Amino acid sequence: YIQLMALQERNETLFYRIIIDNVAEMMPFIYTPTVGEACQKYGHIFQRPHGMYISIEDKGSVREIMDNWPFQNVEVVVMTDGERILGLGDLGTYGMGIPVGKLNLYTACAGIHPDRTL
């Protein structure tokens, strides 16, 4: 998981080429079951931010926060409150690996450009 996410940061095109060409073999690494363990350890393996975090303290400012997203033509959004992640319980922000993994699969399997995801 760590190696794949590092590859995604270094060379997103190569990352998706590997996933697309080997989707059956790679799916367990970018989604379940591996992502469950990665989420449990997310705070320890975190390298670079993915996604957008909005907390209860942001109430009333969500639109302004969304306007800061660098891509304007978002087509797919995956959201989570971090509760009951894969039956693991409330992982809070550590659960970010789930929406990130889902969006990686949407790109690899459905052809949605990564810049059009949030």
Side-chain angles (χ1 to χ4, degrees), residues 42 46 49-55 58 65 69 92-97:
Y42 205 76
F46 177 81
H50 289 272
M52 177 183 292
Y53 295 87
I54 299 174
S55 76
D58 297 320
I65 293 168
W69 189 248
T93 58
Y94 282 23
M96 184 56 92

Side-chain angles (χ1 to χ4, degrees), residues 21-97:
D21 289 349
N22 305 283
V23 71
E25 294 86 1
M26 301 307 291
M27 192 176 303
F29 296 107
I30 61 173
Y31 200 57
T32 186
T34 305
V35 75
E37 182 179 355
C39 285
Q40 289 176 307
K41 299 176 180 177
Y42 205 76
H44 303 288
I45 64 174
F46 177 81
Q47 295 179 359
R48 296 214 164 125
H50 289 272
M52 177 183 292
Y53 295 87
I54 299 174
S55 76
I56 193 69
E57 285 84 30
D58 297 320
K59 185 177 179 180
S61 302
V62 173
R63 182 73 207 173
E64 293 169 36
I65 293 168
M66 299 290 290
D67 286 342
N68 285 318
W69 189 248
F71 307 109
Q72 299 303 312
N73 296 316
V74 172
E75 295 176 352
V76 178
V77 177
V78 176
M79 299 189 310
T80 182
D81 62 2
E83 290 187 12
R84 296 173 29 196
I85 299 289
L86 299 175
L88 300 172
D90 186 350
L91 297 179
T93 58
Y94 282 23
M96 184 56 92

